[in-house]
Amino acid sequence: MSEIRIDIREKRFAAVAGGPERLVFRDFRLEVRDREFLVLLGASGLGKTTLLNIVAGLDTAFTGRVNFSGTKPRIGYAFQNPRLLPWRTVLENVALPLPEGEAGRASALAMLAEVGLADLAGAYPERLSLGQQRRVALARAFVIAPDLLLMDEPFVSLDEANAFRLRELLRALLERHPATVMFVTHDRREALEVATRIVTLEGTPARIARDVPVDPAVRFDAIRRGTVKKAAP
């Protein structure tokens, strides 16, 4: 995969329970470059998750198109909720997107080792903390060696220390397994820690209010030292 071109002429949600119809996107265009870490920043309800679902092919009820230049990418998706199957072990959850057999099991176990959970491979999700469940979700997203990684507030509801550790883990995983990333958050600090580019959405229908590149090394080091407390792109 070399680039994603998103062109949404119109996306609406139908009226529900007597409420009004909602126009989410109109004449919305966005390009994502290969191996870019693009953060979609904005308030809840603007359509950031909807945009990820459109790119993933999970939402096809829109007018427009998503073009991938080059071959169609392998897509990994990390959701707000870890979405682990409670009746499957940690290892079985990670192996879900892989072909059945010993090779898939070995790949899943290796990825669990990369996120520091190999010793919990036989455990069930109910035994895990939320932070551990989110590590399992990361492992499942990476185990297919994705070309494109979609992440919808994957560290929400964690305390800042755990969220920071998982962002560091994500950075380490991407160094070993490079991918293009589209990452949704409403947290500016989180955006500055991970992004190479921040696209801020505003309004109804959603529009691109700001689109700025980020020097990840400078921003990340400054945040770690505490010299950047809050900043808007």
Side-chain angles (χ1 to χ4, degrees), residues 55-74:
V55 172
L58 300 178
D59 187 339
T60 59
F62 71 99
T63 305
R65 61 177 57 191
V66 177
N67 287 329
F68 301 101
S69 59
T71 59
K72 187 174 181 180
R74 291 187 302 275

Side-chain angles (χ1 to χ4, degrees), residues 140-158:
R140 185 177 56 195
F142 271 96
V143 78
I144 63 168
D147 304 299
L148 172 61
L149 183 59
L150 305 177
M151 309 192 77
D152 187 8
E153 297 195 71
F155 310 136
V156 70
S157 303
L158 294 174

Side-chain angles (χ1 to χ4, degrees), residues 211-225:
D211 185 343
V212 295
V214 177
D215 182 334
V218 173
R219 290 294 192 185
F220 185 74
D221 287 344
I223 290 168
R224 292 192 70 176
R225 293 194 305 269

Side-chain angles (χ1 to χ4, degrees), residues 79-84 90 115 117 120 124-140 152-163 165-166 169:
F79 300 90
Q80 287 184 23
N81 185 308
R83 298 193 180 186
L84 305 181
V90 165
V115 301
L117 293 179
L120 291 175
Y124 287 88
E126 65 180 10
R127 282 192 50 200
L128 307 183
S129 68
L130 179 58
Q132 290 170 329
Q133 290 181 23
R134 294 197 180 280
R135 284 175 181 261
V136 175
L138 268 182
R140 185 177 56 195
D152 187 8
E153 297 195 71
F155 310 136
V156 70
S157 303
L158 294 174
D159 62 79
E160 180 52 35
N162 275 314
R165 282 192 287 271
L166 281 174
L169 174 61

Side-chain angles (χ1 to χ4, degrees), residues 7 13 82 86:
D7 183 355
F13 284 120

